[in-house]
Short mmCIF file of all heavy atoms in Angstrom, two decimals:
data_model
loop_
_atom_site.label_atom_id
_atom_site.label_comp_id
_atom_site.label_asym_id
_atom_site.label_seq_id
_atom_site.Cartn_x
_atom_site.Cartn_y
_atom_site.Cartn_z
N ASP A 5 33.52 5.02 -3.35
CA ASP A 5 33.37 3.91 -4.30
C ASP A 5 32.15 4.18 -5.19
O ASP A 5 31.00 4.02 -4.76
CB ASP A 5 33.19 2.59 -3.54
CG ASP A 5 33.28 1.38 -4.45
OD1 ASP A 5 33.07 1.53 -5.66
OD2 ASP A 5 33.53 0.27 -3.93
N ALA A 6 32.39 4.59 -6.43
CA ALA A 6 31.31 4.99 -7.33
C ALA A 6 30.40 3.81 -7.68
O ALA A 6 29.18 3.96 -7.73
CB ALA A 6 31.90 5.59 -8.62
N LYS A 7 31.00 2.63 -7.92
CA LYS A 7 30.19 1.45 -8.26
C LYS A 7 29.29 1.05 -7.11
O LYS A 7 28.13 0.69 -7.30
CB LYS A 7 31.10 0.28 -8.64
CG LYS A 7 31.80 0.46 -9.99
CD LYS A 7 32.58 -0.78 -10.36
CE LYS A 7 33.22 -0.63 -11.74
NZ LYS A 7 33.99 -1.84 -12.13
N LEU A 8 29.82 1.11 -5.89
CA LEU A 8 29.03 0.77 -4.71
C LEU A 8 27.86 1.74 -4.54
O LEU A 8 26.73 1.32 -4.25
CB LEU A 8 29.91 0.78 -3.47
CG LEU A 8 29.19 0.52 -2.13
CD1 LEU A 8 28.54 -0.86 -2.14
CD2 LEU A 8 30.17 0.65 -0.97
N GLN A 9 28.13 3.02 -4.74
CA GLN A 9 27.08 4.02 -4.59
C GLN A 9 25.99 3.86 -5.65
O GLN A 9 24.80 4.06 -5.38
CB GLN A 9 27.67 5.44 -4.66
CG GLN A 9 28.61 5.78 -3.52
CD GLN A 9 27.95 5.57 -2.16
OE1 GLN A 9 26.84 6.01 -1.92
NE2 GLN A 9 28.66 4.87 -1.27
N TYR A 10 26.40 3.49 -6.85
CA TYR A 10 25.41 3.23 -7.91
C TYR A 10 24.57 2.00 -7.57
O TYR A 10 23.36 1.99 -7.78
CB TYR A 10 26.14 3.03 -9.25
CG TYR A 10 25.20 2.89 -10.44
CD1 TYR A 10 24.51 4.01 -10.94
CD2 TYR A 10 24.99 1.66 -11.05
CE1 TYR A 10 23.66 3.88 -12.03
CE2 TYR A 10 24.13 1.53 -12.13
CZ TYR A 10 23.47 2.66 -12.61
OH TYR A 10 22.62 2.53 -13.68
N GLY A 11 25.23 0.98 -7.02
CA GLY A 11 24.50 -0.20 -6.58
C GLY A 11 23.52 0.11 -5.45
O GLY A 11 22.40 -0.42 -5.43
N LEU A 12 23.92 1.01 -4.55
CA LEU A 12 23.03 1.41 -3.47
C LEU A 12 21.84 2.22 -3.99
O LEU A 12 20.75 2.15 -3.42
CB LEU A 12 23.80 2.24 -2.43
CG LEU A 12 24.76 1.47 -1.53
CD1 LEU A 12 25.53 2.40 -0.64
CD2 LEU A 12 24.01 0.44 -0.68
N LEU A 13 22.08 2.96 -5.07
CA LEU A 13 20.98 3.71 -5.69
C LEU A 13 19.94 2.75 -6.26
O LEU A 13 18.71 2.95 -6.10
CB LEU A 13 21.52 4.62 -6.79
CG LEU A 13 20.51 5.57 -7.45
CD1 LEU A 13 19.94 6.54 -6.42
CD2 LEU A 13 21.17 6.35 -8.59
N ILE A 14 20.41 1.68 -6.94
CA ILE A 14 19.50 0.66 -7.46
C ILE A 14 18.79 -0.05 -6.31
O ILE A 14 17.58 -0.30 -6.37
CB ILE A 14 20.27 -0.35 -8.32
CG1 ILE A 14 20.88 0.35 -9.56
CG2 ILE A 14 19.38 -1.50 -8.75
CD1 ILE A 14 21.76 -0.54 -10.40
N PHE A 15 19.55 -0.34 -5.25
CA PHE A 15 18.95 -0.96 -4.06
C PHE A 15 17.87 -0.07 -3.46
O PHE A 15 16.79 -0.55 -3.08
CB PHE A 15 20.06 -1.22 -3.02
CG PHE A 15 19.55 -1.58 -1.66
CD1 PHE A 15 19.01 -2.83 -1.40
CD2 PHE A 15 19.60 -0.64 -0.63
CE1 PHE A 15 18.54 -3.14 -0.14
CE2 PHE A 15 19.12 -0.95 0.64
CZ PHE A 15 18.59 -2.20 0.89
N GLY A 16 18.13 1.24 -3.38
CA GLY A 16 17.16 2.17 -2.84
C GLY A 16 15.88 2.22 -3.67
O GLY A 16 14.77 2.29 -3.14
N ALA A 17 16.05 2.16 -5.01
CA ALA A 17 14.88 2.16 -5.89
C ALA A 17 14.04 0.90 -5.69
O ALA A 17 12.81 0.96 -5.66
CB ALA A 17 15.33 2.27 -7.34
N ALA A 18 14.71 -0.26 -5.55
CA ALA A 18 13.99 -1.52 -5.33
C ALA A 18 13.25 -1.50 -4.01
O ALA A 18 12.10 -1.94 -3.92
CB ALA A 18 14.97 -2.68 -5.41
N VAL A 19 13.92 -1.01 -2.97
CA VAL A 19 13.28 -0.91 -1.65
C VAL A 19 12.07 0.02 -1.70
O VAL A 19 11.03 -0.25 -1.12
CB VAL A 19 14.29 -0.43 -0.60
CG1 VAL A 19 13.59 -0.07 0.71
CG2 VAL A 19 15.35 -1.49 -0.34
N SER A 20 12.21 1.12 -2.44
CA SER A 20 11.11 2.06 -2.58
C SER A 20 9.89 1.41 -3.23
O SER A 20 8.75 1.61 -2.79
CB SER A 20 11.56 3.27 -3.41
OG SER A 20 10.51 4.18 -3.62
N VAL A 21 10.14 0.63 -4.29
CA VAL A 21 9.04 -0.06 -4.97
C VAL A 21 8.35 -1.05 -4.03
O VAL A 21 7.11 -1.08 -3.94
CB VAL A 21 9.56 -0.79 -6.23
CG1 VAL A 21 8.50 -1.75 -6.77
CG2 VAL A 21 9.97 0.20 -7.29
N LEU A 22 9.14 -1.84 -3.31
CA LEU A 22 8.57 -2.83 -2.40
C LEU A 22 7.77 -2.16 -1.27
O LEU A 22 6.71 -2.65 -0.88
CB LEU A 22 9.69 -3.71 -1.82
CG LEU A 22 10.43 -4.59 -2.83
CD1 LEU A 22 11.58 -5.33 -2.16
CD2 LEU A 22 9.47 -5.58 -3.49
N LEU A 23 8.27 -1.05 -0.78
CA LEU A 23 7.55 -0.33 0.27
C LEU A 23 6.26 0.29 -0.27
O LEU A 23 5.23 0.30 0.42
CB LEU A 23 8.46 0.75 0.88
CG LEU A 23 9.53 0.27 1.85
CD1 LEU A 23 10.44 1.41 2.26
CD2 LEU A 23 8.89 -0.36 3.09
N GLN A 24 6.31 0.80 -1.49
CA GLN A 24 5.09 1.35 -2.09
C GLN A 24 4.01 0.29 -2.20
O GLN A 24 2.83 0.55 -1.88
CB GLN A 24 5.41 1.91 -3.47
CG GLN A 24 6.18 3.22 -3.48
CD GLN A 24 6.54 3.66 -4.88
OE1 GLN A 24 5.70 3.65 -5.78
NE2 GLN A 24 7.80 4.02 -5.08
N GLU A 25 4.40 -0.90 -2.63
CA GLU A 25 3.41 -1.98 -2.77
C GLU A 25 2.94 -2.48 -1.40
O GLU A 25 1.77 -2.86 -1.24
CB GLU A 25 3.99 -3.13 -3.60
CG GLU A 25 4.34 -2.74 -5.03
CD GLU A 25 3.17 -2.15 -5.80
OE1 GLU A 25 2.00 -2.51 -5.50
OE2 GLU A 25 3.39 -1.33 -6.68
N ALA A 26 3.83 -2.47 -0.42
CA ALA A 26 3.45 -2.86 0.94
C ALA A 26 2.42 -1.87 1.50
O ALA A 26 1.43 -2.28 2.13
CB ALA A 26 4.67 -2.93 1.83
N PHE A 27 2.63 -0.59 1.25
CA PHE A 27 1.70 0.42 1.74
C PHE A 27 0.41 0.42 0.92
O PHE A 27 -0.65 0.78 1.43
CB PHE A 27 2.35 1.79 1.73
CG PHE A 27 3.12 2.10 2.98
CD1 PHE A 27 4.43 1.68 3.14
CD2 PHE A 27 2.51 2.81 4.01
CE1 PHE A 27 5.12 1.94 4.30
CE2 PHE A 27 3.20 3.09 5.18
CZ PHE A 27 4.52 2.65 5.34
N ARG A 28 0.49 0.01 -0.35
CA ARG A 28 -0.74 -0.14 -1.13
C ARG A 28 -1.61 -1.26 -0.51
O ARG A 28 -2.83 -1.12 -0.43
CB ARG A 28 -0.41 -0.50 -2.58
CG ARG A 28 -1.58 -0.23 -3.55
CD ARG A 28 -1.32 -0.88 -4.88
NE ARG A 28 -0.11 -0.47 -5.55
CZ ARG A 28 -0.02 0.60 -6.35
NH1 ARG A 28 -1.07 1.36 -6.58
NH2 ARG A 28 1.14 0.91 -6.93
N PHE A 29 -0.95 -2.34 -0.08
CA PHE A 29 -1.67 -3.42 0.57
C PHE A 29 -2.25 -2.96 1.92
O PHE A 29 -3.40 -3.29 2.26
CB PHE A 29 -0.75 -4.61 0.79
CG PHE A 29 -1.38 -5.76 1.50
CD1 PHE A 29 -2.30 -6.59 0.84
CD2 PHE A 29 -1.10 -6.03 2.83
CE1 PHE A 29 -2.90 -7.65 1.50
CE2 PHE A 29 -1.70 -7.10 3.49
CZ PHE A 29 -2.61 -7.91 2.82
N ALA A 30 -1.46 -2.18 2.67
CA ALA A 30 -1.95 -1.67 3.96
C ALA A 30 -3.16 -0.75 3.74
O ALA A 30 -4.12 -0.79 4.52
CB ALA A 30 -0.83 -0.91 4.67
N TYR A 31 -3.12 0.02 2.67
CA TYR A 31 -4.25 0.91 2.37
C TYR A 31 -5.48 0.10 1.98
O TYR A 31 -6.62 0.45 2.34
CB TYR A 31 -3.86 1.88 1.26
CG TYR A 31 -4.86 2.98 1.03
CD1 TYR A 31 -5.26 3.81 2.07
CD2 TYR A 31 -5.43 3.19 -0.21
CE1 TYR A 31 -6.18 4.83 1.87
CE2 TYR A 31 -6.34 4.19 -0.42
CZ TYR A 31 -6.72 5.00 0.63
OH TYR A 31 -7.65 6.00 0.43
N PHE A 32 -5.26 -1.00 1.24
CA PHE A 32 -6.38 -1.89 0.90
C PHE A 32 -7.04 -2.44 2.16
O PHE A 32 -8.27 -2.45 2.28
CB PHE A 32 -5.87 -3.02 0.02
CG PHE A 32 -6.85 -4.15 -0.13
CD1 PHE A 32 -7.92 -4.04 -1.01
CD2 PHE A 32 -6.72 -5.32 0.62
CE1 PHE A 32 -8.85 -5.08 -1.14
CE2 PHE A 32 -7.62 -6.36 0.49
CZ PHE A 32 -8.71 -6.24 -0.39
N LYS A 33 -6.23 -2.90 3.12
CA LYS A 33 -6.78 -3.43 4.36
C LYS A 33 -7.54 -2.37 5.13
O LYS A 33 -8.61 -2.64 5.71
CB LYS A 33 -5.66 -4.02 5.23
CG LYS A 33 -4.87 -5.16 4.58
CD LYS A 33 -5.74 -6.37 4.34
CE LYS A 33 -6.09 -7.10 5.61
NZ LYS A 33 -6.83 -8.36 5.35
N LEU A 34 -7.02 -1.15 5.13
CA LEU A 34 -7.69 -0.05 5.82
C LEU A 34 -9.03 0.26 5.17
O LEU A 34 -10.05 0.46 5.85
CB LEU A 34 -6.80 1.19 5.82
CG LEU A 34 -7.38 2.46 6.47
CD1 LEU A 34 -7.58 2.23 7.97
CD2 LEU A 34 -6.44 3.64 6.23
N LEU A 35 -9.06 0.30 3.85
CA LEU A 35 -10.30 0.59 3.13
C LEU A 35 -11.33 -0.54 3.31
O LEU A 35 -12.54 -0.28 3.35
CB LEU A 35 -10.01 0.79 1.64
CG LEU A 35 -9.34 2.10 1.25
CD1 LEU A 35 -9.07 2.15 -0.24
CD2 LEU A 35 -10.20 3.30 1.65
N LYS A 36 -10.87 -1.77 3.42
CA LYS A 36 -11.79 -2.88 3.66
C LYS A 36 -12.48 -2.72 5.01
O LYS A 36 -13.69 -2.97 5.14
CB LYS A 36 -11.04 -4.21 3.61
CG LYS A 36 -10.71 -4.67 2.20
CD LYS A 36 -11.96 -5.09 1.42
CE LYS A 36 -12.58 -6.34 1.97
NZ LYS A 36 -13.76 -6.78 1.15
N LYS A 37 -11.69 -2.30 6.01
CA LYS A 37 -12.28 -2.07 7.33
C LYS A 37 -13.29 -0.93 7.27
O LYS A 37 -14.38 -1.00 7.85
CB LYS A 37 -11.18 -1.74 8.34
CG LYS A 37 -10.29 -2.92 8.69
CD LYS A 37 -11.06 -3.97 9.48
CE LYS A 37 -10.14 -5.10 9.91
NZ LYS A 37 -10.89 -6.16 10.65
N ALA A 38 -12.93 0.15 6.56
CA ALA A 38 -13.82 1.29 6.42
C ALA A 38 -15.08 0.89 5.64
O ALA A 38 -16.19 1.35 5.96
CB ALA A 38 -13.10 2.44 5.73
N ASP A 39 -14.90 0.06 4.63
CA ASP A 39 -16.03 -0.40 3.82
C ASP A 39 -17.02 -1.20 4.66
O ASP A 39 -18.24 -1.04 4.53
CB ASP A 39 -15.51 -1.24 2.66
CG ASP A 39 -16.61 -1.62 1.67
OD1 ASP A 39 -17.26 -0.72 1.14
OD2 ASP A 39 -16.80 -2.83 1.45
N GLU A 40 -16.50 -2.04 5.53
CA GLU A 40 -17.37 -2.82 6.42
C GLU A 40 -18.14 -1.90 7.36
O GLU A 40 -19.32 -2.13 7.65
CB GLU A 40 -16.52 -3.82 7.22
CG GLU A 40 -15.91 -4.92 6.36
CD GLU A 40 -14.93 -5.78 7.14
OE1 GLU A 40 -14.79 -5.54 8.35
OE2 GLU A 40 -14.31 -6.68 6.54
N GLY A 41 -17.49 -0.85 7.84
CA GLY A 41 -18.15 0.09 8.72
C GLY A 41 -19.24 0.86 8.01
O GLY A 41 -20.34 1.07 8.55
N LEU A 42 -18.97 1.28 6.77
CA LEU A 42 -19.98 2.01 5.99
C LEU A 42 -21.18 1.11 5.68
O LEU A 42 -22.33 1.57 5.69
CB LEU A 42 -19.35 2.52 4.69
CG LEU A 42 -18.36 3.67 4.81
CD1 LEU A 42 -17.67 3.93 3.47
CD2 LEU A 42 -19.04 4.93 5.31
N ALA A 43 -20.92 -0.16 5.40
CA ALA A 43 -22.02 -1.10 5.12
C ALA A 43 -22.89 -1.31 6.36
O ALA A 43 -24.10 -1.50 6.25
CB ALA A 43 -21.45 -2.42 4.63
N THR A 44 -22.26 -1.28 7.52
CA THR A 44 -23.00 -1.50 8.77
C THR A 44 -24.00 -0.38 9.06
O THR A 44 -25.12 -0.63 9.51
CB THR A 44 -22.02 -1.64 9.95
OG1 THR A 44 -21.11 -2.71 9.68
CG2 THR A 44 -22.75 -1.92 11.25
N ILE A 45 -23.58 0.86 8.78
CA ILE A 45 -24.44 2.00 9.12
C ILE A 45 -25.36 2.42 7.99
O ILE A 45 -26.20 3.29 8.17
CB ILE A 45 -23.58 3.21 9.54
CG1 ILE A 45 -22.67 3.68 8.39
CG2 ILE A 45 -22.74 2.88 10.78
CD1 ILE A 45 -21.90 4.95 8.70
N SER A 46 -25.20 1.81 6.80
CA SER A 46 -26.07 2.18 5.68
C SER A 46 -27.44 1.53 5.83
O SER A 46 -27.60 0.52 6.51
CB SER A 46 -25.44 1.76 4.35
OG SER A 46 -25.34 0.35 4.28
N GLU A 47 -28.44 2.11 5.17
CA GLU A 47 -29.81 1.63 5.31
C GLU A 47 -30.03 0.28 4.66
O GLU A 47 -30.77 -0.56 5.16
CB GLU A 47 -30.77 2.66 4.69
CG GLU A 47 -30.80 3.99 5.45
CD GLU A 47 -31.78 4.97 4.83
OE1 GLU A 47 -32.35 4.63 3.76
OE2 GLU A 47 -31.95 6.06 5.39
N ASP A 48 -29.38 0.05 3.50
CA ASP A 48 -29.59 -1.20 2.78
C ASP A 48 -28.52 -2.26 3.09
O ASP A 48 -28.51 -3.32 2.49
CB ASP A 48 -29.65 -0.95 1.27
CG ASP A 48 -28.40 -0.28 0.75
OD1 ASP A 48 -27.50 0.04 1.56
OD2 ASP A 48 -28.31 -0.06 -0.47
N GLY A 49 -27.60 -1.92 4.00
CA GLY A 49 -26.57 -2.88 4.37
C GLY A 49 -25.44 -3.01 3.37
O GLY A 49 -24.64 -3.95 3.46
N ARG A 50 -25.36 -2.09 2.41
CA ARG A 50 -24.30 -2.11 1.41
C ARG A 50 -23.50 -0.82 1.47
O ARG A 50 -24.06 0.25 1.73
CB ARG A 50 -24.87 -2.32 0.01
CG ARG A 50 -25.51 -3.68 -0.19
CD ARG A 50 -25.92 -3.89 -1.65
NE ARG A 50 -26.90 -2.89 -2.09
CZ ARG A 50 -27.39 -2.83 -3.32
NH1 ARG A 50 -26.96 -3.70 -4.25
NH2 ARG A 50 -28.28 -1.91 -3.63
N SER A 51 -22.23 -0.92 1.19
CA SER A 51 -21.39 0.27 1.19
C SER A 51 -21.72 1.16 -0.01
O SER A 51 -21.95 0.65 -1.11
CB SER A 51 -19.91 -0.14 1.13
OG SER A 51 -19.08 0.99 0.98
N PRO A 52 -21.74 2.49 0.20
CA PRO A 52 -22.04 3.39 -0.92
C PRO A 52 -20.91 3.50 -1.94
O PRO A 52 -21.09 4.05 -3.02
CB PRO A 52 -22.29 4.74 -0.23
CG PRO A 52 -21.51 4.65 1.04
CD PRO A 52 -21.58 3.21 1.46
#
């Protein structure tokens, strides 16, 4: 079914975008944790 496969291709692209943004958010949370750790061990209490 060519129409169905084309629809699945669009579906795959949409899922890819949503997953990219979900992983962008996960990376933000990871960097926030790392930023807090860097601030803790720095001399002035601020992240470099």
Side-chain angles (χ1 to χ4, degrees):
D5 190 339
K7 289 185 177 180
L8 176 61
Q9 295 305 312
Y10 186 73
L12 287 175
L13 185 62
I14 297 175
F15 167 75
V19 169
S20 177
V21 168
L22 294 176
L23 284 174
Q24 286 176 47
E25 297 304 330
F27 273 84
R28 199 194 302 273
F29 178 74
Y31 189 55
F32 167 79
K33 299 295 288 185
L34 178 65
L35 286 178
K36 284 290 291 183
K37 290 292 184 182
D39 186 58
E40 292 172 3
L42 289 172
T44 303
I45 63 175
S46 65
E47 294 181 355
D48 58 357
R50 294 187 299 178
S51 174

